[in-house]
Amino acid sequence: MKKTRYALALALCGITAFAHGAAPVNLIPMPAQLSVSGDTFTVSAQTPIVVDGSDADARRTAEYLASLTAHTRHLQLQVKTGAPENGAIVLKRDPQAPVANEEGYALDVTPQGIRVVARDEAGLFYGAITAWQLLTPAPGEGDVHVQPVHIRDQPRFAWRGLMLDSARHFQTPDEVRTLIDQMAQHKLNVLHWHLADDQGWRIEIKRYPDLTRIGAWRTPPTTGKQPAPKPYGGFYTQDDIRAVVAYAAERHITVVPEIDMPGHAQAAIASYPELGVTGTRPPVSADWGVNPYLYNVDDHTIEFLHNVLDEVMALFPSTYIHVGGDEAVKDQWKASAAVQARMRALNIKTEDAMQSWFIEQMGKYLAAHNRRLIGWDEILEGGVPPSATVMSWRGTKGAIDAAKLGHDVVLAPAPQLYMDSMQSDRADETTGRLPSMSLQSYYTFEAVPKELNAAQAKHVLGMQATIFTEHMPTMRHVEYAAFPRMDALAEAAWTPVKVRDWHGFLERMPSQLARYRVQDIAYADSAFAPSIDVDRNAAIASGRASVTLSNQARFGNVHYTIDGSEPSASSPLYVRPFNVNLPTTVKAVALADDGTPLAAARTRVLDLPSLRTRGTGELENCAGSDFRLRVQPTPDATSMAPTYLINVFDNCRVYKAAKLDGIAGIRVDTATLPRNYALAHDAKLVVSHKASTPQGELVVHLDSCKGREVASLPLPADAPATFTLQGALAKQAGTHDLCLVFTSPITGPIWGVGAVTLLPADKAAP
Ligand code: ACM
């Protein structure tokens, strides 16, 4: 933990010397080759950025570097045109530059200045981003003594992507630009923009105005007595799209649009019911999951989609156009006489083959316009045109199968690269799916499956993280999900395997977190946040607790207090578990070696009531299903908390190892949550528990969900958004699991459990 960043650079690159007093080399992603030798160069407000006057792209890149540096370091550098000069940051395109490809660059820091050379615009841009990171090595302002680094760099993969779902929740164009800026700072180069889904159509199509007049708006679900909700939605005008695409292009990011088909089509069918199979107009969906609405397969619908693609291609210069293809449950096609007749006419035997035909209609159309089709891995089912590129999301199998068949592939597997996966199991996380995918799991993800031989591996274009936003109603949620895992993604996608080093990456994180803070990016501190752990039952029995402090990344210096004061670098450093008497409030903070915070301080009150309380994230699923999702009380929440960990298949939670000596009651903080999940064929797996009253009750069983009933708390008939259930719990001795089952009808709300508190006899009166 005490290894310095200088030592890191030395260890990685076999460097022989480094300059004392200079800033550390805190680059993310780590360059392919880096060495440190010679003397430092000091950048001050007098240091110009010099570009060739005839090179408009270099000038734009120089201005970007100047604006980033002004914003993040309060160092206002002037851009000058002219011949390279000493004492400057020189950005120069040179056909002879010693670089591997168009994204490569060379950067040298000497006492005479910083010199970035590249053959092409993209390489020069990436060199400028590296220069900016050298100018923001650590929190601070003003002059920087830059290490004498010598960098030869280019990316490992050509596709370094991020998918943003603007259909489930809408981000404003400015918010999308915030994400694009961060992608640029991470040398990511593909923004895959998910623009149409069951819950919203977000791109203006001039020929079909109802797609956004109707399809961009949905009515959020309600539960119980809430007032009728306002429609939720929004869309991007074609001018908005052009501006975003141009903004991304200036940052060397290609925007690949996705129009999902033949499934995830409910918003389009809500706009134009004749595109669907049933002939009826569904609402724009407010349900998460797999909805049943598919496009039909007649000529009119194929023509509609071609016309949509015409406008999409006019807006997006990207070679690739994404046509989705995922999760198209074929029930409607199976049940439709018209679809079946069309299949017979085309001599197509299965619905999967029909989907292939459908996708091929798009592939041919795109090819005729010099574009290429990319789709989720379901496009492999039933056969796919050889020119199609496959994005593997259902694990890595799709990528392996596709690459073996000779298709290009992009690795975007769930759950590994899905940013809607929570980042830890901490109680204070916001929304997301479990299992959690940690910063380290992102970092160590290897995009080339070992099942591929060298020739097949050449089909791996790269990797991509996805931000599906069902449970990210605000940009704050998006940022929390994306950062700092984007750093790990960027390094996995850019840096050669032999240079990747998790511990070195951690050493570079404090600077990166500081860059986020200065730019007001709401990153998650889950990897570094201190956990304050005790053996609850031992503490309840003895009145003393042995406290263990740790964090997920096992990185940083954890300082703590037990007197209620805020912890800081001068508070005791945690080295081993320590004992406290109850009641005590423990506060802990994780700091980098230079004292900057890695995570906000955390507090844990250790007293009998809190030791007898389990928060939503500390309750487990009942046996039978491991589906776990953390949601908020309304689908369009405006803040990050509170959250409720639910299992949509079984409204049941387990309080493990409850110490029941002296306990006579139970209190359950409960939330009424909409049951807005489209489960397709899995709907039959939803468990229904027998109720004693029409509105049902919360029944508590001892030891297992089949065990003896020890409490039954009636649920309110017309429940408010949140309420407290409290009642007697039959007295027991010893330690037992408690199974909490909600018996209300599965057509009603899902009950979220915020916390369960066990009450001693003197507190148990209802
Ligand atoms: C997907 O997650 N349905 C691609």
Side-chain angles (χ1 to χ4, degrees), residues 23-35 43 49 61 64-66 68-69 72 77 89-91 103-109 114-118 121-138 144 146-155 160 181 183-188 491 494-495 508 511-512 515:
V25 182
N26 282 337
L27 302 175
I28 292 180
M30 191 52 135
Q33 284 175 273
L34 179 151
S35 62
V43 174
I49 306 175
T61 293
Y64 190 58
L65 170 59
L68 268 180
T69 309
T72 56
L77 307 178
I89 300 169
V90 174
L91 304 183
E103 295 191 299
Y105 67 93
L107 184 153
D108 291 282
V109 180
I114 301 179
R115 194 179 162 88
V116 182
V117 292
E121 287 168 46
L124 200 67
F125 183 80
Y126 295 133
I129 293 294
T130 297
W132 165 68
Q133 292 192 350
L134 291 171
L135 299 181
T136 50
V144 194
V146 184
Q147 282 276 1
V149 289
H150 306 283
I151 293 172
R152 301 290 176 268
D153 197 13
Q154 70 284 319
R160 305 178 299 281
D181 271 316
M183 288 177 68
Q185 291 177 26
H186 289 80
K187 303 188 174 108
L188 300 182
E491 195 146 307
W494 179 283
T495 304
R508 288 174 274 133
S511 310
Q512 183 59 24
R515 292 182 191 116

Side-chain angles (χ1 to χ4, degrees), residues 168 260 264 326-327 376 378 393 414 418 466 468:
R168 273 49 176 269
D260 210 339
H264 291 285
D326 58 321
E327 298 181 315
W376 299 109
E378 285 94 333
W393 76 277
Y418 268 45
T466 58
F468 279 108

Side-chain angles (χ1 to χ4, degrees), residues 629-750:
L629 177 66
R630 259 208 220 200
V631 298
Q632 293 193 281
T634 73
D636 307 308
T638 54
S639 67
M640 311 283 278
T643 63
Y644 297 89
L645 206 166
I646 60 171
N647 174 3
V648 300
F649 292 97
D650 191 1
N651 205 172
C652 178
R653 312 303 302 146
V654 176
Y655 187 126
K656 279 267 177 203
K659 190 163 169 47
L660 295 179
D661 307 281
I663 296 300
I666 185 166
R667 188 175 67 227
V668 183
D669 299 333
T670 313
T672 313
L673 303 171
R675 192 182 286 271
N676 60 328
Y677 300 91
L679 301 174
H681 296 165
D682 288 345
K684 60 181 178 300
L685 302 178
V686 175
V687 176
S688 169
H689 297 280
K690 195 166 158 17
S692 306
T693 56
Q695 72 271 17
E697 41 297 307
L698 170 58
V699 181
V700 183
H701 297 271
L702 195 70
D703 294 322
S704 82
C705 298
K706 296 199 165 39
R708 188 156 58 84
E709 184 177 311
V710 287
S712 180
L713 313 176
L715 287 159
D718 207 357
T722 58
F723 58 95
T724 300
L725 296 170
Q726 183 165 332
L729 187 88
K731 288 191 180 165
Q732 312 294 323
T735 301
H736 300 266
D737 291 350
L738 296 176
C739 166
L740 285 70
V741 182
F742 290 93
T743 63
S744 53
I746 57 173
T747 48
I750 291 177

Side-chain angles (χ1 to χ4, degrees), residues 29-32 100-101 103-104 126 152-160 187 189 411 442-450 457-458 460-463 488-500:
M30 191 52 135
N101 60 29
E103 295 191 299
Y126 295 133
R152 301 290 176 268
D153 197 13
Q154 70 284 319
R156 179 177 181 210
F157 291 117
W159 186 298
R160 305 178 299 281
K187 303 188 174 108
N189 67 343
L411 276 286
Y442 262 67
Y443 192 83
T444 49
F445 178 76
E446 171 47 47
V448 179
K450 57 182 178 331
K458 288 205 169 60
V460 177
L461 300 181
M463 57 195 287
L489 172 79
E491 195 146 307
W494 179 283
T495 304
V497 175
K498 65 180 188 319
V499 180
R500 251 155 73 190

Side-chain angles (χ1 to χ4, degrees), residues 23 89 338 351 360 372 390 405 434 487 501 531 598-599 611 637 683 734:
I89 300 169
E351 287 75 22
E360 204 181 328
R372 291 187 64 181
V390 174
L405 289 169
L434 287 152
D487 296 294
D501 166 28
S531 297
L598 292 164
L611 291 168

Side-chain angles (χ1 to χ4, degrees), residues 41-53 55-73 75-93 107 112-117 124-125 127-133 135:
F41 173 67
T42 299
V43 174
S44 72
Q46 279 67 53
T47 309
I49 306 175
V50 177
V51 291
D52 185 335
D55 190 341
D57 295 318
R59 186 176 177 109
R60 200 177 48 226
T61 293
E63 272 155 10
Y64 190 58
L65 170 59
S67 77
L68 268 180
T69 309
H71 181 46
T72 56
R73 183 81 194 177
L75 197 54
Q76 190 70 59
L77 307 178
Q78 303 305 319
V79 176
K80 262 176 70 176
T81 51
E85 58 183 75
N86 281 348
I89 300 169
V90 174
L91 304 183
K92 185 158 176 55
R93 270 201 288 179
L107 184 153
Q112 286 72 48
I114 301 179
R115 194 179 162 88
V116 182
V117 292
L124 200 67
F125 183 80
I129 293 294
T130 297
W132 165 68
Q133 292 192 350
L135 299 181

